[in-house]
Amino acid sequence: MLNKIKQNKIKILIAVIVVCCFGIIRAFESQLFYDPFLDYFESNFIKLPFPEVNVFSLFCGLLLRYVLNTLLSLLLIYTLFSDRDILKFSTYLYVFFLILLLGMFFIILKCFPDASWLLFYVRRFIIQPIFIILFIPAFYYQLQYSKN
């Protein structure tokens, strides 16, 4: 066990750095990104209308945050699996979910003013690195399954 840790110390270091970067992004989210929904969702938002937003700035902030989380996630995936096919597949998934989630976010924002819970969860998938929590076990299972 200790031998494996010594052999993979660079991978472990990179993984720890990536996780710390996720934490830094989360800790400084209000300073780094324009997102009026940070305060909105911390309040009792169920009965409140959506806040006024600058759509372009909100789009840029959400896009930047998603791209940062995606790049860190892809680095972590490549560090853990060292497989270009998995990296390429993950990239396609992240691009697909970016288009899907941002489209859903702005459709909900403009067309469904009473769907605050739906907007909350769609936004959560955009701003948090939730996909990495799903992808790592899935890829690990796939690699184990393909060995048998």
Side-chain angles (χ1 to χ4, degrees):
M1 173 78 170
L2 190 56
N3 232 5
K4 281 193 171 198
I5 291 175
K6 286 181 182 179
Q7 289 174 346
N8 294 315
K9 61 184 170 189
I10 297 296
K11 285 185 174 189
I12 293 169
L13 179 64
I14 292 171
V16 168
I17 290 171
V18 167
V19 170
C20 289
C21 288
F22 284 136
I24 290 168
I25 289 171
R26 173 79 172 155
F28 295 104
E29 65 188 353
S30 59
Q31 291 88 6
L32 296 173
F33 312 104
Y34 170 77
D35 191 353
F37 289 100
L38 287 172
D39 294 329
Y40 174 77
F41 286 122
E42 287 179 5
S43 67
N44 186 10
F45 63 89
I46 300 299
K47 300 192 190 311
L48 295 176
F50 293 145
E52 291 295 320
V53 297
N54 178 330
V55 175
F56 181 74
S57 295
L58 180 60
F59 174 79
C60 290
L62 292 173
L63 181 64
L64 176 62
R65 189 159 180 184
Y66 187 87
V67 167
L68 287 173
N69 285 332
T70 297
L71 292 174
L72 289 170
S73 298
L74 292 173
L75 176 61
L76 184 58
I77 287 170
Y78 188 72
T79 300
L80 295 176
F81 299 107
S82 301
D83 187 329
R84 290 189 187 268
D85 290 333
I86 289 176
L87 183 66
K88 190 187 321 184
F89 181 67
S90 300
T91 303
Y92 290 139
L93 285 175
Y94 274 107
V95 169
F96 170 76
F97 285 122
L98 170 66
I99 294 166
L100 179 73
L101 291 170
L102 280 179
M104 287 174 59
F105 182 85
F106 286 104
I107 288 170
I108 294 166
L109 185 63
K110 292 299 179 189
C111 301
F112 300 98
D114 296 331
S116 57
W117 276 109
L118 185 58
L119 188 71
F120 175 82
Y121 287 113
V122 169
R123 181 182 160 275
R124 183 67 54 207
F125 274 92
I126 295 171
I127 68 169
Q128 300 298 331
I130 295 171
F131 292 124
I132 194 72
I133 297 168
L134 302 171
F135 291 170
I136 289 175
F139 293 142
Y140 179 77
Y141 175 78
Q142 180 64 32
L143 287 176
Q144 295 302 314
Y145 183 77
S146 64
K147 286 181 183 178
N148 294 335

